[in-house]
Amino acid sequence: RVKLGWMNGQHLKEMGEQADAMIASKAVELGLVKDADSAFTKSAVAMCSGSLELVADIEEPLRALMAYPLEETLASDGAKGFVEDNIKEVV
């Protein structure tokens, strides 16, 4: 079963944009996003798709991504230098 999951994941990676479109559609179906073609959805799928074995596996990583406390992180002392520098070192 582990090998089958791994093979499915490899197949999704090989499918590229077609798999991304399927994953984005699944995210809409699950009610996680409204528009499969939005810039946010495309970016989120790109960030999460590399670890998926099945299209349906998008729910957990996408929920985790959307739950990330971005505003609090950017407001933290640890991020202050990056934010003040327009995050040039990260980009």
Side-chain angles (χ1 to χ4, degrees), residues 66-85:
M66 293 190 311
Y68 184 80
L70 182 60
E71 289 181 15
E72 292 87 355
T73 301
L74 292 174
S76 72
D77 289 337
K80 187 176 181 179
F82 292 108
V83 173
E84 289 173 351
D85 194 28

Side-chain angles (χ1 to χ4, degrees), residues 1-2 7 12 22 26-27 35 37 41 44 46-47 49-50 52 60-63 68-69 71 74 80:
R1 181 163 169 109
V2 173
M7 289 178 64
L12 284 176
M22 292 169 48
K26 184 65 175 181
D35 181 4
D37 294 319
T41 302
M47 291 175 67
S49 64
L52 303 181
E60 186 178 332
L62 188 51
R63 283 191 188 278
Y68 184 80
E71 289 181 15
L74 292 174
K80 187 176 181 179

